[in-house]
Amino acid sequence: MGDQNPDHSRTEAGRVLVPILIDTLVRTSQLSLVAVGLSMTWGIVRFANVAHVQYAPVGAYFALVAASGLGLGVVAGSLVGIVAAGVVGVLLHLFFFRRLSSFSSATALIGSLALSIVITASIQAIAGPRPERLPLPSAPGIPIGDAFVTRAQVYVVVLTAVIFVALFLVLSFTNLGRAIRCVAANPDLASSSGIDVRRISTAVVFAAAALAATGGVFIAVDTSMSLEMGSTLLLAVFAAVTMGGIGSVGGSLLAAAILALAESTVLRIDFGAVFGSHPLLIPISYRPAVGFVAVILVMLFRPQGLFGLGGRRA
Amino acid sequence: MLDFALYVATIAAVYALFALSLNLQAGVTGLLNFGHVAFFGVGAYSSGIVALHGGHWLLGVLVGVVVSSLLGAVIGRLGRTLAADYWAIVTLAVAECLRLVVVNEGDLTGGPQGISGIAGPFSSVSGLAGSLSWLVLCVVLAALAYLVAETLTGMQFGRVLRLLREEPMLAASLGHNITAEKTRVLAVAAPIAAVGGSVYTLYISYIGPNQLLPIETFLVFTMLIIGGIGNNRGAVFGALVIQLIYAGSRFLKDIFPIPDQSASSVRLLIVGLVLTAFLMTRPEGLFAEKLRRIDVHQ
Amino acid sequence: MFISRGVGKSFGSVQVLRDVELEIEPGEIVGLVGPNGSGKTTLLNCLSGFLNPDAGTIEYDGTRLDRLADWQVSRMGIRRTFQTASQPMKMSVLEAMLCGAALPIGSAPVRGLFRRKARAAEQAAAVGKALELLDFLSLSHMTEEPAGRLSGGQKKLLSLGVALMTDPKVLLLDEPTAGVNPTLRLTIADRLKDINANGTTLLVIEHDMGFIGRMCERVYVLDKGSVIAACRPDELKDNPRVVEAYLGAPRPVHVATGVSRP
Ligand SMILES: Nc1ncnc2c1ncn2[C@@H]1O[C@H](COP(=O)(O)OP(=O)(O)OP(=O)(O)O)[C@@H](O)[C@H]1O
Ligand SMILES: [Mg+2]
């Protein structure tokens, strides 16, 4: 093909690629933060905790209350919200899920479904059904080529990177991290080798809920928070966790990135051009289908994860 | 007031159909179908779409039965390779895909607005006679479904399902093909829910995508847990209780100052808390599953 | 005729079975012994279709079994029991017995629903057979108890009864008398002999050499996944490899003295 107008084609590519890149990075941050906690706790609690994604809206709404209700401001308010969500996660683990798991994992699974509904209904009853925003000053977007990136989006991506580096360092190089990995991989073996499994589990559950809450706050910062935040995350997050391999931090991050990329590109691909017919774009409202379809395909064909980084528990 | 009571009773009978269908899957076979609402949706939209094209309502019911049974068989077949919790998530994903299609394919399904003005069997009968006819029809259907479910659970078919719920290895060693059994129970249970969906749609003459939300599945699970999972009588009883709670919560706002917009969430909250309380304190439900006596002297 | 040729099985990097050759004639009672962890249960899993071997073939009457599913093998008339006999909690002993029967009408959801009479007749016959078997296994007083609540030894008996509901041609038994008291153990031995006399071929995994000596015409000895001896039970104690496998050192000790596991 002749390159008659290189300048034009460069801007053309930039016009498509830059928004995809921004979109993917922001979405990866949000998905991976929620997914990584589920991935870490799944090996410990041994049932698919459907309620995990609900820590995202819980964190976001707590942050809202702390930021505007208590007047702490967005940064301090978000921190309070995240810690509070972590505490909620621990309390639920100690007084709800432990008991249900002792009956059967099916009971715990149904319980987690019940809990998600209770959380959604509570938020709706207290905060009302309308989406809410964190009290952020409106800042002008930073132009990159033809696209814009908001200051909030930059913070979200950078902070997520920092969190994952920190998480990686803690898990790899500290005693606590080694204990956590050991417990996540095989709780029975860990307890027989002298690790205080209860204490470690509690710590992991706190971290997992807090990370999910961070994801929720980041979504709220980027757009807004709503009741449906948890349920819209649910299947994409489960897809990311199974794709990445249960228990694998790096796997969750990588899988979240793949899903995010898929979500932002699939909608922009002109399938008409691919098949040589009329323009045929998948409508934007089908965006959630990427997660739905991904979860079905991954669980059916690669239940052990795409990359062999983590393991599926027996 | 009488109209409202008839309405509550009719809807309770419809919900009994859903609950009996889910009980065959989750209670008897131990298959936690988080996408149970998909079967309801197939029945409901079959009726809606057939009505939209001027077809007879019976045709709609029939289409729903056939399509849901096929969908059930496919979903059951997926159980071959999936662990129990993975299967639950996958069924949820399937149901959500269905809802997404319903929302987006407006030409076929009416999109987010749904389909309204659907004509049912008693459309020409008005007033009390109409309401009574509906109630009788739904109660008869629920009674039939109960009979079918109870017979299926008690005969060798259900016995094998109960065995593979508790001891899958033992079942396999006795020559029972676990995948085939799961496929069959879903193919049989799905149409019961689909008939419920059809009848519901014809009764209120409307169907919309908001009736396919995962919350509906959750409601049916609540009925099973309250009534006693694995017990068909419990499933029917649970449907009645939940319907009464729902109806009762209407009067709640006469007593407490609850704003209109949060009434539905308060209702959900109550149901959620009831379920949570049962799970914590009495997970076997009000009517626990009992041993089945076999008549030795036949 | 049950034949395995060169059967091998590994879990990850651990080779649990290697090159196992086995031949069982119709009507035989064959023992399978070996130290703990020698691969007996794994071999039985391969023979019954619960595991597919990595190498080798398994044949029964000219049909290859090694790529069949567990339920297919069972339907060919080859039934097995498990080392830990678990039974359903929410089913009576009688119902558990019926699970072992083949009831074609009752198993078909649609046909069974409409043919009530035929279904009941079919079940009544199976109930009769179940009661007979329960009597034979001295479990008739437990008919209406939850199967999962039986004692360990009773569960072993019940598993045997369930497996017998279809008159299998071959029975593969994983430690049928482990955890059973000595008098009942003798009863089980007698029962198994009766079953065998009715034409069922038996392969029995056992640790109790006395039991093996009383029951079996031939015995295979497995050690670290290989067959190290195939002989008459009374020849075991003279076989130095068997003695070594059990005791770890080549010392002249009698192994076939009927010592049972504690
Ligand atoms: N599913 C499995 N995965 C990994 N290793 C296994 C598996 N099943 C068996 N093994 C290993 O294979 C070896 C043989 O086990 P097997 O159960 O066949 O022994 P056995 O001869 O029946 O012992 P016992 O007399 O104690 O019943 C053991 O070391 C066991 O750890
Ligand atoms: Mg063994």
Side-chain angles (χ1 to χ4, degrees), chain C:
Chain C
M1 179 92 149
F2 211 109
I3 306 172
S4 90
R5 294 247 173 278
V7 166
K9 181 74 195 173
S10 312
F11 294 111
S13 58
V14 190
Q15 181 140 26
V16 177
L17 290 178
R18 59 170 69 80
D19 212 14
V20 174
E21 306 269 329
L22 201 81
E23 267 184 41
I24 307 172
E25 300 286 340
E28 263 193 306
I29 305 182
V30 176
L32 179 59
V33 300
N36 289 122
S38 54
K40 305 181 294 296
T41 300
T42 308
L43 177 59
L44 196 138
N45 284 342
C46 289
L47 297 180
S48 57
F50 276 75
L51 286 175
N52 290 330
D54 306 330
T57 60
I58 298 166
E59 257 178 43
Y60 176 72
D61 276 353
T63 313
R64 285 278 294 269
L65 300 185
D66 45 280
R67 289 287 169 263
L68 294 186
D70 38 23
W71 60 273
Q72 289 171 313
V73 174
S74 170
R75 288 202 185 169
M76 290 183 63
I78 301 161
R79 283 204 165 171
R80 66 164 299 176
T81 61
F82 295 90
Q83 185 165 355
T84 42
S86 51
Q87 291 287 341
M89 279 292 181
K90 303 227 167 114
M91 239 184 232
S92 70
V93 167
L94 184 54
E95 265 211 299
M97 288 291 284
L98 290 184
C99 286
L103 303 176
I105 299 173
S107 306
V110 180
R111 201 149 52 103
L113 213 50
F114 292 109
R115 299 184 56 193
R116 217 172 62 85
K117 281 247 172 61
R119 196 182 78 219
E122 176 192 74
Q123 177 161 317
V127 168
K129 175 156 184 123
L131 292 176
E132 239 169 67
L133 275 170
L134 286 175
D135 198 35
F136 170 73
L137 296 167
S138 340
L139 283 174
S140 22
H141 58 295
M142 306 299 283
T143 315
E144 290 301 327
E145 296 301 309
R149 294 234 188 281
L150 297 186
S151 74
Q154 287 174 321
K155 278 188 203 160
K156 286 257 158 188
L157 287 171
L158 178 57
S159 322
L160 190 59
V162 175
L164 286 171
M165 281 296 287
T166 45
D167 299 318
K169 291 186 237 145
V170 181
L171 256 186
L172 309 169
L173 304 171
D174 201 343
E175 307 196 13
T177 68
V180 175
N181 73 49
T183 37
L184 199 50
R185 195 173 291 205
L186 290 178
T187 323
I188 293 184
D190 290 343
R191 293 295 179 251
L192 288 177
K193 287 214 149 173
D194 292 345
I195 292 163
N196 176 251
N198 286 331
T200 302
T201 311
L202 296 178
L203 176 71
V204 187
I205 297 181
E206 245 324 313
H207 283 286
D208 181 346
M209 292 298 176
F211 186 88
I212 290 285
R214 219 166 18 249
M215 293 269 309
C216 307
E217 296 119 45
R218 282 192 312 126
V219 55
Y220 285 90
V221 185
L222 218 51
D223 182 39
K224 301 193 185 76
S226 305
V227 175
I228 54 167
C231 54
R232 284 208 317 273
D234 55 341
E235 292 167 351
L236 283 179
K237 62 177 187 295
D238 306 322
N239 186 326
R241 287 192 65 188
V242 175
V243 176
E244 189 186 333
Y246 267 92
L247 298 168
R251 276 178 296 163
V253 178
H254 297 291
V255 283
T257 48
V259 197
S260 25
R261 283 202 309 181

